Amino acid sequence: MPFFLSRLLTRLSSLTSWATPVFVIAFVFLTSWPLMTLAEPEGSELVQPANYWWYFVVTAATVGYGDFYPETPMGHIVGGYVIVGGIAALTTVFTKLASMLEKARGQRMQGSITVDASGHTVLLGYTPGRTERIVAELLADSGGHHGELVLCAFDDVGSNPMAGEPVTFVRGNLTDAAVLRRAGVHRATTVLVDVHDDNQSLAVALAVDHVITKAHVVVTLRDLERSSLLGYVSANIRPVQWHTPRMITEELQSPGISEVYAELMTHGGANTYSVIVPASAGEVSVERCRSALGAHHNATLLAARAGEALHVNPEGTTTLPPGSVLYYVGTEPLSETQVERALRA
């Protein structure tokens, strides 16, 4: 008998953990039925094929409805054998389930999973504090339209640094196409390359270009003069100044907006100016100011300050008293006289 048990345990250890409870249940069922037949009186309803399987299930699961039960002392012993076998099998199942859940959680924390999402946003690179700020702005501004957020970091980030946020974590070499595919870069809508330095940014951008199909790619650079190098990689990659996280999130959500900002800050193109509403103009509506500036000076009103109140993209019905400040985009600065003439025209 000891030799038999030794051989049996060896066999069991070679089975997968899912096969073990199946084997235990099958073994207990096939051995308990004939034993119960011998233990119970002849003609017992319990051992009938239509009844015993039900008795076995509810007894092994420790439910025990009591509609069928053994009547003899030996039958009680066999019933106890069924209970012990059921508990052993269920324990194995629950242990396996707990192990699977813990393994899945560990894989997600360690970044070893493969993302199967599509139409999502991938952030390549992690900088403590900075990345959290970018993620917070994306979550706050996008209204859920960014899709799933995936953070893909280098191996020096040992575990998910944003475990409390709705961010999927992937870890590995960001210049490795296999790692980028694990992050779902080839199915992403938007990709941000925000790594440790400009040389690394160019290397990662090159790797991304070999993987993506039509994603909007934003690359942060500390020295924007190097943005011309990105043109050798792809004309569709948008460089953004590393030091302006807010502009980064705006570019991710509104492709091309960083180019608009750059043009506004470039001498010789359209620029932003301010001018005071002259006292002689009296009270004027925002709509009147907007149409007058546009019709006579090809300028676009952005905001207005009336006293302490600043109105960005103000309603047309808003009334502005004399002395209010108008902020606008135009090709040249306007004088109060020019504004007065435009308002009176």
Side-chain angles (χ1 to χ4, degrees):
M1 180 63 73
F3 175 76
F4 171 75
L5 290 176
S6 175
R7 297 283 299 192
L8 179 61
L9 290 175
T10 301
R11 292 279 186 177
L12 284 174
S13 64
S14 66
L15 296 173
T16 65
S17 51
W18 283 119
T20 301
V22 174
F23 176 84
V24 171
I25 288 294
F27 180 82
V28 173
F29 180 81
L30 293 175
T31 54
S32 66
W33 193 356
L35 290 175
M36 188 67 77
T37 301
L38 294 174
E40 288 298 288
E42 185 177 354
S44 170
E45 292 186 1
L46 172 62
V47 297
Q48 298 299 316
N51 298 330
Y52 187 77
W53 73 269
W54 172 248
Y55 162 78
F56 181 85
V57 169
V58 297
T59 304
T62 67
V63 176
Y65 287 117
D67 47 355
F68 296 105
Y69 53 88
E71 299 177 358
T72 66
M74 284 301 299
H76 294 161
I77 294 176
V78 176
Y81 167 58
V82 172
I83 293 173
V84 171
I87 292 174
L90 289 175
T91 300
T92 305
V93 171
F94 292 143
T95 301
K96 175 61 177 177
L97 288 174
S99 175
M100 286 182 62
L101 292 174
E102 184 62 26
K103 182 179 179 180
R105 182 177 182 276
Q107 288 179 332
R108 295 186 69 86
M109 285 297 297
Q110 296 170 11
S112 58
I113 65 170
T114 297
V115 175
D116 57 3
S118 60
H120 57 295
T121 297
V122 181
L123 310 179
L124 298 177
Y126 173 75
T127 302
R130 172 184 172 86
T131 305
E132 282 84 353
R133 176 181 172 185
I134 292 174
V135 167
E137 290 186 354
L138 286 174
L139 292 175
D141 294 346
S142 65
H145 299 301
H146 53 71
E148 182 178 347
L149 279 180
V150 177
L151 171 62
C152 187
F154 280 105
D155 286 321
D156 57 353
V157 182
S159 61
N160 189 351
M162 304 181 67
E165 300 292 340
V167 177
T168 304
F169 179 60
V170 175
R171 184 166 63 99
N173 184 354
L174 302 188
T175 60
D176 186 345
V179 174
L180 297 179
R181 289 185 177 277
R182 281 205 297 115
V185 168
H186 57 299
R187 295 190 302 270
T189 299
T190 310
V191 178
L192 170 64
V193 179
D194 187 49
V195 289
H196 301 142
D197 56 60
D198 287 357
N199 290 332
Q200 203 172 66
S201 294
L202 295 172
V204 174
L206 182 62
V208 168
D209 186 63
H210 283 282
V211 172
I212 64 170
T213 54
K214 54 181 179 181
H216 172 54
V217 181
V218 178
V219 178
T220 62
L221 294 174
R222 289 156 179 81
D223 182 6
L224 274 182
E225 291 186 2
R226 306 189 69 181
S227 61
S228 60
L229 298 176
L230 291 173
Y232 295 112
V233 179
S234 173
N236 297 322
I237 296 178
R238 295 285 185 179
V240 178
Q241 176 62 251
W242 186 89
H243 302 286
T244 54
R246 179 58 189 172
M247 188 179 295
I248 294 169
T249 58
E250 289 192 20
E251 176 63 33
L252 287 173
Q253 297 175 89
S254 303
I257 194 66
S258 61
E259 188 175 358
V260 174
Y261 284 138
E263 180 64 23
L264 289 175
M265 292 185 291
T266 301
H267 177 71
N271 209 337
T272 52
Y273 303 98
S274 66
V275 66
I276 296 176
V277 176
S280 58
E283 287 192 349
V284 292
S285 68
V286 165
E287 183 58 38
R288 177 61 183 148
C289 293
R290 184 177 288 139
S291 61
L293 292 180
H296 295 277
H297 299 287
N298 195 28
T300 302
L301 183 66
L302 297 176
R305 181 182 293 279
E308 296 297 323
L310 176 65
H311 305 278
V312 178
N313 190 27
E315 293 286 343
T317 56
T318 302
T319 300
L320 303 175
S324 297
V325 182
L326 304 179
Y327 300 93
Y328 61 95
V329 176
T331 56
E332 60 182 7
L334 301 175
S335 66
E336 291 185 35
T337 301
Q338 288 175 300
V339 172
E340 181 183 8
R341 290 174 180 171
L343 290 172
R344 289 184 180 277

